[in-house]
Amino acid sequence: MSNLARVAVLVSGRGSNLQALLDAAADPWFPADVVQVVSNVPGAYALERAALAGVAASTVVSKGRAREDFEAELLGHLDGIDIICLAGFMRVLTGGFLDRFRHRVVNIHPALLPAFPGTHGIADALAHGTTVAGATCHLVDAGVDTGPILAQGGVAVQDGDTQESLAARVLAIEHRLYPMCLRWMAEGRVSVEGRRARVRLLPGETRWVGG
Ligand code: GRF
């Protein structure tokens, strides 16, 4: 019997982070298996990525629905799931939903939290003239991008960077961070103390990825 952690990935769009997780999980030594993809947006390209990888994929429409109603249907697709990864999932989950998966929901965000939460992380970093930008992988709590930080990675902001150029470099960091953090979760190496996550690191591992 397989003792791999069973992972569901929730998506809304192109799914490049989903792809990074699928690619990592294709390695037989990776401790987690992506077994379910759910999109809240019909036709999201991430659904095609799931199909290509042979992973069960479904759509649960959120638009125009009460959160509780949406989440009740979503839960029907998450039976036996150990870890939920949010990968460009543009919907805030309720505390009630998160309680069912306490400290088992992970997100990736394109900014160095706690700076620049929300949907404009890259634009906000540029607008503030920061000299370093980056990505954060964190556990999800009921706030928006506020949960305990698992790992972060940074890139220098160049003169002349546009949102597109900076987003591309940050995205490359995201794709490194997310599989790394999922591994830690799946191996049971993450614990939470107050608002901080602790990770039992192996020799050579760090919680910071430089760009
Ligand atoms: C990423 O930038 C992620 O940090 C943010 O949404 C974007 C999703 O991109 N939460 P993708 O769908 O994974 O390509």
Side-chain angles (χ1 to χ4, degrees), residues 13-18 87-88 107-110 171 174:
R14 71 187 160 180
S16 71
N17 279 286
L18 165 66
N107 185 41
I108 188 85
H109 179 76
L171 195 63
E174 294 180 33

Side-chain angles (χ1 to χ4, degrees), residues 71-157:
E71 290 178 358
E73 187 183 340
L74 179 60
L75 275 174
H77 295 264
L78 301 176
D79 240 17
I81 293 297
D82 300 309
I83 298 168
I84 297 175
C85 292
L86 309 184
F89 181 66
M90 303 301 285
R91 183 90 185 186
V92 175
L93 296 165
T94 63
F97 180 95
L98 293 169
D99 283 347
R100 287 171 176 261
F101 293 92
R102 192 170 155 73
H103 300 154
R104 292 188 289 140
V105 184
V106 193
N107 185 41
I108 188 85
H109 179 76
L112 292 172
L113 294 171
F116 314 135
T119 50
H120 303 108
I122 299 283
D124 290 346
L126 278 176
H128 282 76
T130 62
T131 58
V132 60
T136 303
C137 192
H138 65 96
L139 296 175
V140 176
D141 65 12
V144 175
D145 304 321
T146 51
I149 291 168
L150 295 171
Q152 295 184 297
V155 293
V157 179

Side-chain angles (χ1 to χ4, degrees), residues 167-198:
R169 295 206 305 287
V170 169
L171 195 63
I173 294 279
E174 294 180 33
H175 297 164
R176 288 167 63 191
L177 280 180
Y178 217 167
M180 180 176 98
C181 291
L182 177 56
R183 168 183 292 281
W184 295 342
M185 296 286 295
E187 291 178 344
R189 293 201 266 141
V190 175
S191 57
V192 177
E193 289 168 22
R195 71 156 333 338
R196 294 185 64 168
R198 301 235 173 242

